[in-house]
Amino acid sequence: MAWEPRRNQYTVSELTQRVNDVFAGEFSDIWVAGEISGAKSSPAGHWYFTLKDEAAQLQCACFKMSAMRLRVKPSDGLSVLARGRMEIYAQRGQCQLIVDAIELQGVGALQLAFEQLKKKLAEEGLFDPARKRPLPKYPARIGIVTSASGAAVQDLLNILKRRAPGLWIRLYPAIVQGQGAAEQIARGIDHFSSSNWADVVIVGRGGGSLEDLWAFNEEVVARAIVRCSVPVVSAVGHETDFTIADFAADLRASTPSAAAEIVTAAWVALPALLTAETRHLERAMSLVVLRAGDRLGRRGIDRARMMLELKLNRYGQRVDECDFRLRELTRGFVAQRRRRVDLIEARLRRHDPRVRLAEAKARMQKAGAALISGMARSLAARKPLLGALTAGLTQMSPLQVLERGYAIVQTRDGRVLKEAPPSGTELRIRMAKGETRATTTPDGSSELPS
């Protein structure tokens, strides 16, 4: 019998598990640098995205418990360092990085510029607490400098209208990110300063990376805030985001929503204070729980819990994929039915009898107008001929002869006499003006009545 080499044979599940074991030993705690693309979140709170560079890409998943601790939420185009572990997603046979933490790349230079400008302005006294003014207790007119299309302005307006419906609000729209943003923000602050309209000014935007918020770290914005004639509230980013504008402002709000609550605090008094304290307690409790859970997970005290969470996360990923596919199919089905309904509506509109009746009525009106116009032209053309005929009839009329002194002699029954009638015939003699009666005598003459 010929010798045959031993085969290294595995089932798919066995091979996948072996690879996961290798990953667990070699790639259980690694940092991967790349750019995020295709970021999306599921209703369960998990995040899925791709890390890519010039030559390759890697699928990533960040499950709910880890996602809640992220300081930076996944967003397309961000250059990040992602910390996690490698595994094979068995249901698709796909390598993926299970992400536990994310840090932005390239922040060092901006942070240095931030600290340098902060030091310079602090030495000039721009951040001096003695310079800052208290907010008016009952502001009636609120000026806002932010993007007109961002979520921050909608949050501001909704909260201001809900908490104090009688306030007057004016928005100075400005871009809050990119080239020219700082200059536009400064012009907005100067506008409210010179107009003397606002009681207080809110300047800010929603959260983002250090690069996204950099317009509020520019010197021109800080100096515009300081020279403003009315108090300025800075509301930039999230609670953990600090900018130069925050230090220069008369008051710093953790978010745009918080700014709206602060300036309307006196209008709502105790309920607003209770709501703010409740939210602060919830955040503190959540932070304590998250930190305790993080310490517990790092120490590896509850291995069974970690394995259960791993399996739940994998099943959750499968559920998310099914949910994404179902949403796509539903959107396609609804769009197809919508197109069919639109087609049927278009066909009904083309066969609508009201449209045909309206068209027929328009044609009839047009024809009637043409007929009247034609009749008028025809009558006008025949009017000279009618005048000529009338003149000819007038000249040939016997009445014209009577005007020259002649008379018409008729019998009683209206017959015109052309020769002498018998004696005793009653006559009617018609002249140009009036008529008379007579009776013939035996000698042939006529006897007029006396």
Side-chain angles (χ1 to χ4, degrees):
M1 178 181 292
W3 177 83
E4 294 183 0
R6 182 181 177 182
R7 296 179 178 177
N8 291 327
Q9 182 171 322
Y10 302 92
T11 65
V12 174
S13 298
E14 290 172 344
L15 181 60
T16 301
Q17 185 58 48
R18 289 289 298 275
V19 174
N20 273 331
D21 291 341
V22 173
F23 282 167
E26 299 293 331
F27 304 102
S28 60
D29 186 9
I30 60 175
W31 291 86
V32 182
E35 179 182 314
I36 293 178
S37 68
K40 59 182 178 181
S41 62
S42 72
H46 308 317
W47 279 91
Y48 304 97
F49 55 92
T50 300
L51 275 182
K52 65 179 183 179
D53 57 18
E54 296 81 0
Q57 61 181 14
L58 175 64
Q59 298 300 317
C60 301
C62 183
F63 298 113
K64 181 178 179 180
M65 294 304 295
S66 296
M68 292 174 63
R69 297 191 295 269
L70 293 180
R71 293 187 61 188
V72 178
K73 298 301 181 184
S75 179
D76 290 357
L78 288 183
S79 295
V80 300
L81 284 172
R83 180 185 180 183
R85 64 185 185 278
M86 289 296 299
E87 73 165 22
I88 293 289
Y89 179 35
Q91 282 69 23
R92 287 202 311 232
Q94 174 181 295
C95 291
Q96 63 180 8
L97 178 68
I98 306 302
V99 176
D100 296 322
I102 293 177
E103 291 184 3
L104 290 174
Q105 295 191 82
V107 180
L110 292 179
Q111 189 66 37
L112 178 60
F114 173 89
E115 295 296 338
Q116 290 175 343
L117 180 59
K118 177 183 174 183
K119 180 179 179 181
K120 171 187 173 183
L121 298 181
E123 290 175 351
E124 293 182 20
L126 269 65
F127 305 155
D128 189 356
R131 184 198 59 79
K132 305 199 177 203
R133 299 156 293 186
L135 301 186
K137 192 171 184 180
Y138 296 101
R141 296 184 298 274
I142 309 297
I144 301 175
V145 181
T146 188
S147 171
S149 60
V153 70
Q154 294 302 323
D155 291 342
L156 276 167
L157 295 177
N158 290 338
I159 294 175
L160 290 173
K161 291 177 182 178
R162 172 171 55 82
R163 290 165 60 90
L167 291 181
W168 290 86
I169 302 170
R170 285 186 181 177
L171 171 66
Y172 187 99
I175 59 174
V176 294
Q177 180 177 338
Q179 185 175 5
E183 288 73 17
Q184 285 198 22
I185 295 168
R187 284 197 294 270
I189 298 170
D190 289 338
H191 166 76
F192 287 116
S193 177
S194 60
S195 65
N196 293 322
W197 180 85
D199 297 324
V200 64
V201 175
I202 299 174
V203 56
R205 58 156 288 164
S209 65
L210 182 60
E211 293 90 342
D212 295 338
L213 306 180
W214 193 253
F216 297 89
N217 290 322
E218 295 284 359
E219 184 174 353
V220 64
V221 173
R223 296 195 181 278
I225 291 174
V226 171
R227 66 172 173 264
C228 186
S229 61
V230 296
V232 178
V233 178
S234 174
V236 182
H238 301 301
E239 185 172 0
T240 56
D241 296 323
F242 280 85
T243 64
I244 296 296
D246 295 330
F247 296 106
D250 297 286
L251 183 68
R252 183 234 176 202
S254 58
T255 64
S257 299
E261 293 174 357
I262 289 171
V263 298
T264 57
W267 297 103
V268 293
L270 185 60
L273 177 61
L274 180 60
T275 300
E277 291 297 326
T278 301
R279 290 177 178 172
H280 178 73
L281 180 60
E282 289 174 349
R283 288 194 295 268
M285 291 176 63
S286 298
L287 184 59
V288 170
V289 172
L290 289 174
R291 287 177 176 173
D294 187 51
R295 289 194 300 269
L296 182 64
R298 287 197 302 267
R299 292 173 182 174
I301 296 176
D302 193 354
R303 176 68 177 173
R305 183 194 62 78
M306 292 179 62
M307 295 301 297
L308 178 60
E309 181 181 329
L310 177 63
K311 289 188 176 182
L312 288 176
N313 288 339
R314 289 175 179 171
Y315 285 124
Q317 185 171 358
R318 295 179 63 184
V319 171
D320 291 339
E321 289 183 343
C322 293
D323 179 69
F324 292 144
R325 287 199 296 269
L326 180 59
R327 289 172 184 267
E328 290 296 329
L329 291 173
T330 301
R331 283 194 290 268
F333 178 80
V334 171
Q336 182 183 11
R337 290 298 185 271
R338 181 70 261 174
R339 288 193 295 270
R340 291 184 62 183
V341 169
D342 292 341
L343 180 61
I344 292 172
E345 288 180 349
R347 292 172 62 186
L348 286 175
R349 284 195 296 269
R350 288 198 299 270
H351 294 85
D352 191 342
R354 291 174 296 182
V355 176
R356 294 187 177 183
L357 288 175
E359 293 175 351
K361 183 178 179 181
R363 290 195 299 270
M364 184 179 68
Q365 292 175 344
K366 184 177 180 180
L371 179 61
I372 292 173
S373 177
M375 291 177 64
R377 289 194 302 271
S378 178
L379 290 175
R382 285 166 172 75
K383 187 173 182 180
L385 178 60
L386 179 62
L389 292 174
T390 301
L393 287 174
T394 300
Q395 291 179 358
M396 296 176 64
S397 174
L399 297 179
Q400 294 295 323
V401 178
L402 296 182
E403 289 290 340
R404 294 197 298 271
Y406 294 94
I408 300 174
V409 181
Q410 297 173 295
T411 63
R412 186 176 182 181
D413 57 5
R415 180 169 51 85
V416 177
L417 295 179
K418 297 182 180 180
E419 57 185 15
S423 175
T425 302
E426 293 185 1
L427 304 176
R428 290 173 58 198
I429 303 172
R430 183 177 178 182
M431 293 162 284
K433 296 181 180 179
E435 65 177 30
T436 188
R437 297 181 181 274
T439 304
T440 58
T441 58
D443 59 0
S445 62
S446 298
E447 179 179 311
L448 297 175
S450 58

mmCIF file with all atom_site columns, all heavy atoms in Angstrom, residues 90-102:
data_model
loop_
_atom_site.group_PDB
_atom_site.id
_atom_site.type_symbol
_atom_site.label_atom_id
_atom_site.label_alt_id
_atom_site.label_comp_id
_atom_site.label_asym_id
_atom_site.label_entity_id
_atom_site.label_seq_id
_atom_site.pdbx_PDB_ins_code
_atom_site.Cartn_x
_atom_site.Cartn_y
_atom_site.Cartn_z
_atom_site.occupancy
_atom_site.B_iso_or_equiv
_atom_site.pdbx_formal_charge
_atom_site.auth_seq_id
_atom_site.auth_comp_id
_atom_site.auth_asym_id
_atom_site.auth_atom_id
_atom_site.pdbx_PDB_model_num
ATOM 1  N N   . ALA A 1 90  ? -18.218 34.170 12.476 1.00 0.00 ? 90  ALA A N   1
ATOM 2  C CA  . ALA A 1 90  ? -18.392 32.849 11.877 1.00 0.00 ? 90  ALA A CA  1
ATOM 3  C C   . ALA A 1 90  ? -19.526 32.816 10.855 1.00 0.00 ? 90  ALA A C   1
ATOM 4  O O   . ALA A 1 90  ? -19.442 32.097 9.848  1.00 0.00 ? 90  ALA A O   1
ATOM 5  C CB  . ALA A 1 90  ? -18.645 31.820 12.981 1.00 0.00 ? 90  ALA A CB  1
ATOM 6  N N   . GLN A 1 91  ? -20.603 33.537 11.083 1.00 0.00 ? 91  GLN A N   1
ATOM 7  C CA  . GLN A 1 91  ? -21.748 33.449 10.189 1.00 0.00 ? 91  GLN A CA  1
ATOM 8  C C   . GLN A 1 91  ? -21.422 33.920 8.776  1.00 0.00 ? 91  GLN A C   1
ATOM 9  O O   . GLN A 1 91  ? -22.088 33.538 7.814  1.00 0.00 ? 91  GLN A O   1
ATOM 10 C CB  . GLN A 1 91  ? -22.919 34.280 10.746 1.00 0.00 ? 91  GLN A CB  1
ATOM 11 C CG  . GLN A 1 91  ? -23.677 33.608 11.887 1.00 0.00 ? 91  GLN A CG  1
ATOM 12 C CD  . GLN A 1 91  ? -22.856 33.502 13.146 1.00 0.00 ? 91  GLN A CD  1
ATOM 13 O OE1 . GLN A 1 91  ? -21.907 34.278 13.347 1.00 0.00 ? 91  GLN A OE1 1
ATOM 14 N NE2 . GLN A 1 91  ? -23.183 32.538 14.001 1.00 0.00 ? 91  GLN A NE2 1
ATOM 15 N N   . ARG A 1 92  ? -20.415 34.781 8.648  1.00 0.00 ? 92  ARG A N   1
ATOM 16 C CA  . ARG A 1 92  ? -20.016 35.236 7.309  1.00 0.00 ? 92  ARG A CA  1
ATOM 17 C C   . ARG A 1 92  ? -18.583 34.883 6.983  1.00 0.00 ? 92  ARG A C   1
ATOM 18 O O   . ARG A 1 92  ? -18.108 35.196 5.894  1.00 0.00 ? 92  ARG A O   1
ATOM 19 C CB  . ARG A 1 92  ? -20.194 36.762 7.210  1.00 0.00 ? 92  ARG A CB  1
ATOM 20 C CG  . ARG A 1 92  ? -21.624 37.208 7.125  1.00 0.00 ? 92  ARG A CG  1
ATOM 21 C CD  . ARG A 1 92  ? -21.752 38.573 6.503  1.00 0.00 ? 92  ARG A CD  1
ATOM 22 N NE  . ARG A 1 92  ? -20.841 39.547 7.085  1.00 0.00 ? 92  ARG A NE  1
ATOM 23 C CZ  . ARG A 1 92  ? -21.214 40.732 7.553  1.00 0.00 ? 92  ARG A CZ  1
ATOM 24 N NH1 . ARG A 1 92  ? -22.471 41.056 7.526  1.00 0.00 ? 92  ARG A NH1 1
ATOM 25 N NH2 . ARG A 1 92  ? -20.338 41.569 8.047  1.00 0.00 ? 92  ARG A NH2 1
ATOM 26 N N   . GLY A 1 93  ? -17.876 34.259 7.912  1.00 0.00 ? 93  GLY A N   1
ATOM 27 C CA  . GLY A 1 93  ? -16.481 33.921 7.674  1.00 0.00 ? 93  GLY A CA  1
ATOM 28 C C   . GLY A 1 93  ? -15.630 35.152 7.437  1.00 0.00 ? 93  GLY A C   1
ATOM 29 O O   . GLY A 1 93  ? -14.720 35.148 6.602  1.00 0.00 ? 93  GLY A O   1
ATOM 30 N N   . GLN A 1 94  ? -15.883 36.214 8.178  1.00 0.00 ? 94  GLN A N   1
ATOM 31 C CA  . GLN A 1 94  ? -15.242 37.510 7.929  1.00 0.00 ? 94  GLN A CA  1
ATOM 32 C C   . GLN A 1 94  ? -14.443 37.947 9.146  1.00 0.00 ? 94  GLN A C   1
ATOM 33 O O   . GLN A 1 94  ? -14.914 37.869 10.277 1.00 0.00 ? 94  GLN A O   1
ATOM 34 C CB  . GLN A 1 94  ? -16.322 38.548 7.614  1.00 0.00 ? 94  GLN A CB  1
ATOM 35 C CG  . GLN A 1 94  ? -15.813 39.966 7.469  1.00 0.00 ? 94  GLN A CG  1
ATOM 36 C CD  . GLN A 1 94  ? -16.953 40.924 7.177  1.00 0.00 ? 94  GLN A CD  1
ATOM 37 O OE1 . GLN A 1 94  ? -17.593 40.854 6.132  1.00 0.00 ? 94  GLN A OE1 1
ATOM 38 N NE2 . GLN A 1 94  ? -17.217 41.804 8.102  1.00 0.00 ? 94  GLN A NE2 1
ATOM 39 N N   . CYS A 1 95  ? -13.216 38.410 8.881  1.00 0.00 ? 95  CYS A N   1
ATOM 40 C CA  . CYS A 1 95  ? -12.397 38.980 9.956  1.00 0.00 ? 95  CYS A CA  1
ATOM 41 C C   . CYS A 1 95  ? -12.956 40.344 10.344 1.00 0.00 ? 95  CYS A C   1
ATOM 42 O O   . CYS A 1 95  ? -13.318 41.139 9.475  1.00 0.00 ? 95  CYS A O   1
ATOM 43 C CB  . CYS A 1 95  ? -10.950 39.140 9.509  1.00 0.00 ? 95  CYS A CB  1
ATOM 44 S SG  . CYS A 1 95  ? -10.073 37.588 9.285  1.00 0.00 ? 95  CYS A SG  1
ATOM 45 N N   . GLN A 1 96  ? -13.021 40.618 11.639 1.00 0.00 ? 96  GLN A N   1
ATOM 46 C CA  . GLN A 1 96  ? -13.461 41.935 12.076 1.00 0.00 ? 96  GLN A CA  1
ATOM 47 C C   . GLN A 1 96  ? -12.780 42.299 13.386 1.00 0.00 ? 96  GLN A C   1
ATOM 48 O O   . GLN A 1 96  ? -12.352 41.432 14.152 1.00 0.00 ? 96  GLN A O   1
ATOM 49 C CB  . GLN A 1 96  ? -14.982 41.982 12.222 1.00 0.00 ? 96  GLN A CB  1
ATOM 50 C CG  . GLN A 1 96  ? -15.544 41.049 13.269 1.00 0.00 ? 96  GLN A CG  1
ATOM 51 C CD  . GLN A 1 96  ? -17.070 41.142 13.357 1.00 0.00 ? 96  GLN A CD  1
ATOM 52 O OE1 . GLN A 1 96  ? -17.701 41.794 12.538 1.00 0.00 ? 96  GLN A OE1 1
ATOM 53 N NE2 . GLN A 1 96  ? -17.647 40.509 14.350 1.00 0.00 ? 96  GLN A NE2 1
ATOM 54 N N   . LEU A 1 97  ? -12.690 43.610 13.606 1.00 0.00 ? 97  LEU A N   1
ATOM 55 C CA  . LEU A 1 97  ? -12.084 44.142 14.828 1.00 0.00 ? 97  LEU A CA  1
ATOM 56 C C   . LEU A 1 97  ? -13.219 44.522 15.774 1.00 0.00 ? 97  LEU A C   1
ATOM 57 O O   . LEU A 1 97  ? -14.094 45.319 15.424 1.00 0.00 ? 97  LEU A O   1
ATOM 58 C CB  . LEU A 1 97  ? -11.229 45.367 14.509 1.00 0.00 ? 97  LEU A CB  1
ATOM 59 C CG  . LEU A 1 97  ? -10.560 46.059 15.699 1.00 0.00 ? 97  LEU A CG  1
ATOM 60 C CD1 . LEU A 1 97  ? -9.483  45.163 16.297 1.00 0.00 ? 97  LEU A CD1 1
ATOM 61 C CD2 . LEU A 1 97  ? -9.949  47.403 15.269 1.00 0.00 ? 97  LEU A CD2 1
ATOM 62 N N   . ILE A 1 98  ? -13.217 43.922 16.968 1.00 0.00 ? 98  ILE A N   1
ATOM 63 C CA  . ILE A 1 98  ? -14.195 44.277 17.993 1.00 0.00 ? 98  ILE A CA  1
ATOM 64 C C   . ILE A 1 98  ? -13.612 45.450 18.781 1.00 0.00 ? 98  ILE A C   1
ATOM 65 O O   . ILE A 1 98  ? -12.652 45.306 19.530 1.00 0.00 ? 98  ILE A O   1
ATOM 66 C CB  . ILE A 1 98  ? -14.488 43.088 18.920 1.00 0.00 ? 98  ILE A CB  1
ATOM 67 C CG1 . ILE A 1 98  ? -14.913 41.878 18.095 1.00 0.00 ? 98  ILE A CG1 1
ATOM 68 C CG2 . ILE A 1 98  ? -15.566 43.451 19.924 1.00 0.00 ? 98  ILE A CG2 1
ATOM 69 C CD1 . ILE A 1 98  ? -16.124 42.099 17.225 1.00 0.00 ? 98  ILE A CD1 1
ATOM 70 N N   . VAL A 1 99  ? -14.189 46.645 18.582 1.00 0.00 ? 99  VAL A N   1
ATOM 71 C CA  . VAL A 1 99  ? -13.607 47.894 19.075 1.00 0.00 ? 99  VAL A CA  1
ATOM 72 C C   . VAL A 1 99  ? -14.085 48.174 20.500 1.00 0.00 ? 99  VAL A C   1
ATOM 73 O O   . VAL A 1 99  ? -15.282 48.089 20.801 1.00 0.00 ? 99  VAL A O   1
ATOM 74 C CB  . VAL A 1 99  ? -13.990 49.053 18.133 1.00 0.00 ? 99  VAL A CB  1
ATOM 75 C CG1 . VAL A 1 99  ? -13.466 50.382 18.683 1.00 0.00 ? 99  VAL A CG1 1
ATOM 76 C CG2 . VAL A 1 99  ? -13.429 48.800 16.740 1.00 0.00 ? 99  VAL A CG2 1
ATOM 77 N N   . ASP A 1 100 ? -13.136 48.533 21.366 1.00 0.00 ? 100 ASP A N   1
ATOM 78 C CA  . ASP A 1 100 ? -13.448 48.931 22.740 1.00 0.00 ? 100 ASP A CA  1
ATOM 79 C C   . ASP A 1 100 ? -13.234 50.427 22.978 1.00 0.00 ? 100 ASP A C   1
ATOM 80 O O   . ASP A 1 100 ? -13.844 50.995 23.883 1.00 0.00 ? 100 ASP A O   1
ATOM 81 C CB  . ASP A 1 100 ? -12.569 48.154 23.736 1.00 0.00 ? 100 ASP A CB  1
ATOM 82 C CG  . ASP A 1 100 ? -12.865 46.660 23.694 1.00 0.00 ? 100 ASP A CG  1
ATOM 83 O OD1 . ASP A 1 100 ? -14.039 46.301 23.540 1.00 0.00 ? 100 ASP A OD1 1
ATOM 84 O OD2 . ASP A 1 100 ? -11.921 45.861 23.808 1.00 0.00 ? 100 ASP A OD2 1
ATOM 85 N N   . ALA A 1 101 ? -12.357 51.070 22.191 1.00 0.00 ? 101 ALA A N   1
ATOM 86 C CA  . ALA A 1 101 ? -12.061 52.496 22.401 1.00 0.00 ? 101 ALA A CA  1
ATOM 87 C C   . ALA A 1 101 ? -11.603 53.103 21.081 1.00 0.00 ? 101 ALA A C   1
ATOM 88 O O   . ALA A 1 101 ? -11.094 52.408 20.195 1.00 0.00 ? 101 ALA A O   1
ATOM 89 C CB  . ALA A 1 101 ? -10.987 52.671 23.472 1.00 0.00 ? 101 ALA A CB  1
ATOM 90 N N   . ILE A 1 102 ? -11.814 54.419 20.957 1.00 0.00 ? 102 ILE A N   1
ATOM 91 C CA  . ILE A 1 102 ? -11.416 55.161 19.750 1.00 0.00 ? 102 ILE A CA  1
ATOM 92 C C   . ILE A 1 102 ? -10.746 56.455 20.189 1.00 0.00 ? 102 ILE A C   1
ATOM 93 O O   . ILE A 1 102 ? -11.254 57.165 21.063 1.00 0.00 ? 102 ILE A O   1
ATOM 94 C CB  . ILE A 1 102 ? -12.625 55.477 18.851 1.00 0.00 ? 102 ILE A CB  1
ATOM 95 C CG1 . ILE A 1 102 ? -13.216 54.201 18.258 1.00 0.00 ? 102 ILE A CG1 1
ATOM 96 C CG2 . ILE A 1 102 ? -12.226 56.424 17.727 1.00 0.00 ? 102 ILE A CG2 1
ATOM 97 C CD1 . ILE A 1 102 ? -14.460 54.445 17.419 1.00 0.00 ? 102 ILE A CD1 1
#
